[in-house]
Amino acid sequence: MNFQYLNLEVAERVATVTINRPDKGNALAPDVLEEVTHMFNALGMRQDVNVIVFTGGERYFSAGFDLNEIRKLEKVSNEAYTALFHRAYRAILFCEQPVICAVGGAAIAGGFDLTMMCDIRYASTRAKFGQREIVLSLTPIMDPLWRIIGMGRAKEVALTGRIYDAAEAERMGYVSKVFPEGELLSSVAQIAREMAQYDRACLAETKRLSNVVLNQDLDMSMRTQEWLFRSYIGSEDNHQRIDALQAQLAAARKAKS
């Protein structure tokens, strides 16, 4: 597929996907959503990609729904358009690799929802977040939002339609860390490169585990984690990484002495 609104770079086992519709604030027209779906479905199958960074650059993330497109819709014929959004959401949420969201500017309504589908969120100080669907007489995405920030806070976000700055998003636990303006992409790239050095299958299984255990009782969750841990401990890669870590620690001790 030829991508008009998404840019892709792959280096050091990190794929960086950038929304590129700056003249519209990266608004989510149908063609943009189609590209998001195809991009993440394709990246999920790439064995040379361990981690994905999803961003709109240092200035934008996404202003959300393209309101001109929504204004054309009629209630009796909205199914295809609604399905388009949810295919894009699921392509990110269930992509095999961890997806890190780097939010450089406004992430509003549908743009906010895209950030919600990612596994980790980082922001710059200029970022803004808002689930504005209620303002437009639309119902918002509550799940996985409540899993990220808790049901009480998720209700506030959904029912007030309020816009939050990056600092408040970090305090509520929606954003993991806030970086100075202009330093977001380089900082997130460093985090992604370090993550991408880990075993691809182990990263994927850990992401899958985080989704599975939410729907299990505690006993089943502990059994699942025990079984999965047994799948990796004692493997050749596990031994090699232990040896490398011990050599690194020994070298550090020697340098200090």
Side-chain angles (χ1 to χ4, degrees):
M1 180 176 179
N2 293 321
F3 294 94
Q4 181 179 354
Y5 298 111
L6 297 181
N7 295 334
L8 173 65
E9 295 181 11
V10 178
E12 299 181 69
R13 308 188 77 81
V14 175
T16 302
V17 179
T18 305
I19 307 173
N20 184 30
R21 200 188 180 203
D23 56 317
K24 298 290 186 179
N26 288 344
L28 301 174
D31 287 348
V32 179
L33 294 167
E34 287 282 13
E35 290 190 13
V36 168
T37 301
H38 285 285
M39 177 68 77
F40 279 88
N41 285 341
L43 288 174
M45 295 184 288
R46 287 187 58 160
Q47 296 301 306
D48 62 329
V49 172
N50 287 6
V51 176
I52 300 169
V53 174
F54 188 29
T55 187
E58 292 282 0
R59 188 176 177 188
Y60 305 102
F61 185 74
S62 172
F65 309 119
D66 189 323
L67 298 182
N68 291 328
E69 295 290 338
I70 291 183
R71 192 62 185 82
K72 299 174 188 176
L73 293 175
E74 298 294 338
K75 189 175 179 180
V76 295
S77 57
N78 63 17
E79 184 176 352
Y81 186 80
T82 302
L84 187 60
F85 266 96
H86 281 265
R87 282 199 300 273
Y89 294 157
R90 293 177 65 86
I92 300 167
L93 184 62
F94 298 113
C95 185
E96 182 159 307
Q97 303 95 325
V99 181
I100 301 173
C101 195
V103 185
I108 305 298
F112 177 83
D113 295 342
L114 289 184
T115 71
M116 192 195 312
M117 302 302 148
C118 300
D119 300 294
I120 304 171
R121 284 156 294 280
Y122 296 109
S124 79
T125 50
R126 63 173 284 128
K128 304 284 184 185
F129 299 87
Q131 195 175 53
R132 300 283 287 169
E133 282 86 343
I134 198 77
V135 177
L136 302 174
S137 292
L138 298 170
T139 54
I141 298 288
M142 292 293 292
D143 195 1
L145 181 60
W146 75 268
R147 300 172 190 253
I148 300 168
I149 59 175
M151 183 59 81
R153 202 64 196 259
K155 286 180 179 179
E156 182 204 10
V157 171
L159 292 170
T160 66
R162 189 157 70 82
I163 293 177
Y164 301 80
D165 63 20
E168 190 167 5
E170 182 182 26
R171 285 197 298 273
M172 75 169 69
Y174 190 71
V175 165
S176 295
K177 189 172 182 178
V178 177
F179 295 97
E181 185 176 344
E183 298 180 15
L184 173 70
L185 296 183
S186 60
S187 300
V188 172
Q190 179 61 32
I191 294 168
R193 285 194 297 269
E194 291 176 5
M195 281 180 59
Q197 295 176 29
Y198 305 146
D199 177 65
R200 184 186 187 282
C202 196
L203 287 167
E205 287 287 7
T206 301
K207 174 173 177 172
R208 204 157 25 239
L209 177 67
S210 69
N211 291 328
V212 168
V213 296
L214 282 168
N215 301 308
Q216 295 178 337
D217 62 39
L218 184 57
D219 177 62
M220 182 56 70
S221 174
M222 293 301 293
R223 292 178 187 275
T224 298
Q225 291 170 101
E226 178 186 4
W227 174 84
L228 190 58
F229 192 73
R230 287 206 320 266
S231 301
Y232 286 88
I233 192 168
S235 68
E236 182 179 351
D237 189 67
N238 173 233
H239 288 169
Q240 290 175 352
R241 289 176 184 269
I242 288 173
D243 292 344
L245 177 60
Q246 288 181 330
Q248 181 183 356
L249 294 174
R253 285 194 296 268
K254 185 176 181 181
K256 287 183 179 179
S257 61

